[in-house]
Amino acid sequence: MPSFHEVQFPLRLALGTSGGPQRRTDIVSLSNGRESRNSRWKDARRRYDAGSGLRSVGDLYEVLSFFEARAGQLYGFRFTDPVDFKSCGPEEAISRQTSGSAPATAKRGSSG
């Protein structure tokens, strides 16, 4: 059973959401007064509150229907963040990004 539904969260409702990237960091105060920090997640995860985008009872039922179709949190879905929808900065053109850092002639496992 796939864990992802290829469906888009309604953009009209996504425009009014709040939220964004979050990180999980544990901070432990040591007996010598210093701190030890540990990041539990390698990358940031996004969390959004769709409640702030609801303007009517119809919007509420649309969101409830959408999440019921996903069985709550059981299935993932597409969500477009209108502010953070590119993998580059806001002024940078997507075409200027590189998709890899190794040169095309590099061989995996070779040592020089």
Side-chain angles (χ1 to χ4, degrees):
M1 178 183 326
S3 63
F4 189 84
H5 287 173
E6 192 62 53
V7 63
Q8 179 79 28
F9 186 79
L11 183 60
R12 178 179 56 80
L13 300 175
L15 292 173
T17 60
S18 60
Q22 293 182 333
R23 293 199 169 265
R24 178 75 185 261
T25 304
D26 295 326
I27 303 171
V28 178
S29 296
L30 305 175
S31 60
N32 63 3
R34 294 185 179 194
E35 294 178 342
S36 175
R37 295 173 183 252
N38 181 45
S39 178
R40 290 190 178 200
W41 301 333
K42 181 181 177 228
D43 297 316
R45 297 181 184 177
R46 270 87 176 139
R47 183 176 183 96
Y48 296 92
D49 179 4
S52 57
L54 304 179
R55 301 289 180 238
S56 68
V57 175
D59 289 349
L60 174 63
Y61 282 110
E62 186 176 356
V63 170
L64 288 174
S65 173
F66 184 86
F67 280 104
E68 284 299 321
R70 311 285 91 65
Q73 295 181 353
L74 186 60
Y75 298 99
F77 56 89
R78 303 258 178 228
F79 179 85
T80 301
D81 183 343
V83 178
D84 182 21
F85 61 92
K86 297 191 309 184
S87 59
C88 61
E91 302 299 323
E92 186 178 350
I94 293 176
S95 62
R96 294 182 54 197
Q97 296 183 75
T98 58
S99 60
S101 58
T105 57
K107 292 182 181 176
R108 181 175 259 184
S110 64
S111 59

